[in-house]
Amino acid sequence: METYLDNAATAPMHPCVVDAVTRAMRETYGNPSSQHAKGRAARALLDESRAVVADAVGAFPDEIYFTSGGTESNNLALTGACAAIARTQGPGAVVTTALEHPSVTKTVRGLKRDGWRATYLDAPGGALDMDGLSAALDASDEVRLVSVMSVQSELGYRFPVDRVVDACAAARGRDGARPLVHTDAVQAFGKIPLDAHRLGVDLLSFCSHKVGGPKGVGALYVRRGVNLFTTAFGGGQERGLRSGTEALPLIAGFAEAARIARTEQGAAQARAAALRERLVNALRCRYADLILNSRDDGSPFIVNFTLPGTDNRRVLERLSDAGVYLSASMACSSNHTTVPPGTWREKHPLALQLAGVPARFTRCTYRVSFSDRTTDDDVDRFIAELGEVVPARLAQRIA
């Protein structure tokens, strides 16, 4: 028996998605750029898939550009937008948060090498520093781009992107233009309501494999009228923004996963909320010194907690041996163990520390994340197996 609770890292592919991918590989193998019948059939499937994915985020099909995943989408959004801006106005300033995914923080670091300035907003306990955003916008009329993620990957915090959009709409540079707003919506897509047009963002990154789609495919929403420079030169696919023959089987699977997620989103969100409550209540009953790091108003799909005195490497290994899978942090940050004081602006931070979780708890913190197929039995089995590794009396003794 297996219990998989690491869905924020990646979710198992839905059986219908597997069918869509294999069907495209078997039947629609033409190049979408070819002019013969096989190419036209591939183009038709590409166009159909783009429309389905666009509908899932409230966008027009021509605002969706397929990429290799969330990382590339974030890189393309920031680098492409800033390159286009710098062409006519020179480097300006970027505002982002201290808790972004490395594909944002490291891209911003690269922009700084190209002459861009960066301001980082804190979010202690998950409360985004909106006053800091206002101060950054007031202090400079050269803020060109603001990037704030929708759902934080490790802690499940939901940031008020709509308020960020409103603040930027009221800010105007010397040329009268407002800053562009980008959001990394990788952990939000298919799980919480997401409508790019209603939200008002200019750029929105998301991907397939967090919602039961295939790995290796994602998308970038680019609002009509926003100018981006390409970072991938070649045959001019994706309307010149992202060259390279489209990975059609993956895109077809992405569309199927998006369709399923959109259809079942309400039920999945309610089920995740119930699972979260079940998990948190069970942990609190068993461990007197439990520290819940996630917020009640965060994404119900991510629960981050600390069990003081435990060693998460040993605990995760023992749980894995029992067929129970979760994580200590987001998979992309598993190599980051500490952040020397005062250096987080120069290197990607350990998000837990920046959110106010003491560094001494780094090795005793855990992340459980649900999918639309996680069950009560999965939660109950996790609690039971965790009890075998970390007896309840351990928490009482430490307390």
Side-chain angles (χ1 to χ4, degrees):
M1 179 183 296
E2 292 188 345
T3 298
Y4 185 77
L5 296 170
D6 195 20
N7 293 278
T10 193
M13 282 180 65
H14 194 286
C16 293
V17 171
V18 175
D19 291 343
V21 172
T22 54
R23 185 166 56 251
M25 295 177 70
R26 183 176 58 249
E27 300 174 4
T28 321
Y29 50 80
N31 189 318
S33 297
S34 296
Q35 299 303 307
H36 49 63
K38 281 294 183 183
R40 292 194 299 273
R43 171 60 62 177
L45 179 59
L46 178 63
D47 292 343
E48 177 187 340
S49 299
R50 194 186 311 276
V52 171
V53 171
D55 190 54
V57 294
F60 299 123
D62 65 354
E63 295 175 314
I64 297 298
Y65 297 83
F66 288 116
T67 67
S68 63
T71 289
E72 185 187 352
S73 293
N74 284 336
N75 275 257
L76 178 57
L78 273 61
T79 304
C82 288
I85 292 168
R87 177 68 177 270
T88 58
Q89 303 174 49
V94 175
V95 178
T96 188
T97 82
L99 299 178
E100 298 293 314
H101 187 273
S103 59
V104 169
T105 58
K106 291 185 177 182
T107 301
V108 170
R109 195 190 316 166
L111 291 171
K112 290 170 66 178
R113 291 195 294 267
D114 293 334
W116 287 78
R117 301 180 303 284
T119 297
Y120 299 87
L121 304 176
D122 291 322
L128 184 65
D129 183 8
M130 292 299 298
D131 289 339
L133 174 60
S134 296
L137 294 171
D138 291 342
S140 174
D141 58 4
E142 294 187 343
V143 175
R144 307 298 187 193
L145 177 67
V146 176
S147 180
V148 174
M149 67 197 324
S150 296
V151 173
Q152 209 283 330
S153 308
E154 294 185 59
L155 295 141
Y157 297 156
R158 292 181 64 175
F159 289 149
V161 179
D162 54 345
R163 293 175 58 199
V164 172
V165 170
D166 290 342
C168 291
R172 298 287 169 175
R174 283 177 296 184
D175 58 357
R178 64 167 179 81
L180 298 177
V181 179
H182 163 256
T183 187
D184 173 355
V186 164
Q187 294 292 348
F189 171 66
K191 298 177 181 178
I192 64 175
L194 193 64
D195 188 306
H197 289 169
R198 291 182 181 176
L199 195 57
V201 294
D202 302 288
L203 303 159
L204 186 147
S205 306
F206 57 110
C207 69
S208 162
H209 72 101
K210 309 293 188 182
V211 292
K215 300 176 184 66
V217 62
L220 176 63
Y221 158 80
V222 182
R223 181 179 58 80
R224 286 177 177 174
V226 173
N227 187 26
L228 260 63
F229 277 10
T230 184
T231 59
F233 299 94
Q237 290 88 349
E238 294 303 291
R239 301 182 301 289
L241 184 60
R242 201 273 188 180
S243 290
T245 301
E246 295 90 349
L248 188 55
L250 302 183
I251 290 171
F254 187 5
E256 181 63 13
R259 183 192 64 77
I260 295 170
R262 186 174 187 273
T263 301
E264 301 180 359
Q265 184 180 96
Q269 189 173 3
R271 186 160 55 250
L275 290 170
R276 180 189 189 278
E277 182 177 11
R278 187 183 191 91
L279 172 64
V280 171
N281 287 342
L283 288 170
R284 283 176 170 159
C285 287
R286 185 179 292 267
Y287 301 107
D289 60 348
L290 173 82
I291 301 171
L292 183 64
N293 302 313
S294 298
R295 292 168 59 108
D296 291 341
D297 60 357
S299 168
F301 291 87
I302 297 175
V303 180
N304 189 293
F305 61 92
T306 297
L307 289 177
T310 62
D311 180 346
N312 56 24
R313 289 170 296 184
R314 184 181 68 86
V315 171
L316 292 178
E317 182 178 355
R318 291 274 302 276
L319 289 174
S320 180
D321 290 343
V324 178
Y325 311 112
L326 59 149
S327 66
S329 64
M330 65 180 181
C332 297
S333 67
S334 59
N335 293 324
H336 297 275
T337 58
T338 187
V339 180
T343 65
W344 67 266
R345 285 180 172 82
E346 302 302 326
K347 57 172 60 176
H348 178 64
L350 187 68
L352 295 176
Q353 292 179 32
L354 297 177
V357 179
R360 69 181 184 277
F361 288 155
T362 299
R363 287 297 186 188
C364 48
T365 294
Y366 306 84
R367 182 187 69 174
V368 169
S369 48
F370 309 128
S371 76
D372 60 344
R373 284 174 285 166
T374 308
T375 66
D376 289 350
D377 288 344
D378 290 326
V379 171
D380 294 345
R381 181 163 185 264
F382 163 64
I383 293 295
E385 294 294 345
L386 181 64
E388 295 295 320
V389 182
V390 185
R393 64 180 182 274
L394 171 63
Q396 295 167 1
R397 184 171 65 246
I398 292 171

